[in-house]
Amino acid sequence: MWRWLIKRAAPAAPASDPAPAGLANYRIERLLGKGAAAQVYLAQDQRNKRWVALKLLELGSSAESPEWHDALERFRREATLLHELHHPAIVEVLDAGPSERGAWMAL
């Protein structure tokens, strides 16, 4: 699948929404998919020009709610666990961190 993403034709138009703060190193190309709480974008790391899948957890603006903190902690645990696992069939976490609206990880 990654070979297809890298060898594909000219990239689609960039996403119209700007990347959340904290993602200045990534240029978002297009939406790949979304679930109940997160969206996954095709993005390019501007530091090394590497194509990545950028998973964004959007939690909205109620940062004081317990649900917001619980969701952020689950996302942090997911990123940490994936980073520690090494197997050809498991995606590698390259980078992760908080954003102004939630959190993100580059896969």
Side-chain angles (χ1 to χ4, degrees):
M1 181 170 156
W2 286 109
R3 289 186 195 126
W4 175 81
L5 289 172
I6 293 169
K7 292 181 179 179
R8 66 186 172 72
S16 58
D17 293 337
L23 295 176
N25 292 325
Y26 297 94
R27 181 173 51 86
I28 294 176
E29 288 290 322
R30 65 183 172 93
L31 180 68
L32 293 175
K34 60 181 170 176
Q39 299 83 39
V40 179
Y41 294 90
L42 175 64
Q44 189 174 38
D45 187 331
Q46 296 301 289
R47 297 168 291 191
N48 58 19
K49 304 300 182 198
R50 183 179 196 177
W51 289 103
V52 299
L54 194 61
K55 183 176 181 180
L56 301 178
L57 175 67
E58 297 286 340
L59 297 173
S61 60
S62 59
E64 287 79 33
S65 72
E67 293 84 10
W68 195 91
H69 290 288
D70 289 346
L72 194 58
E73 178 59 21
R74 284 192 305 275
F75 194 83
R76 186 197 64 76
R77 284 194 311 253
E78 177 186 355
T80 301
L81 179 63
L82 283 173
H83 181 72
E84 294 171 356
L85 295 174
H86 301 286
H87 188 276
I90 299 174
V91 67
E92 179 183 359
V93 174
L94 305 170
D95 198 4
S99 74
E100 62 188 7
R101 297 180 297 219
W104 58 275
M105 70 175 92
L107 310 166

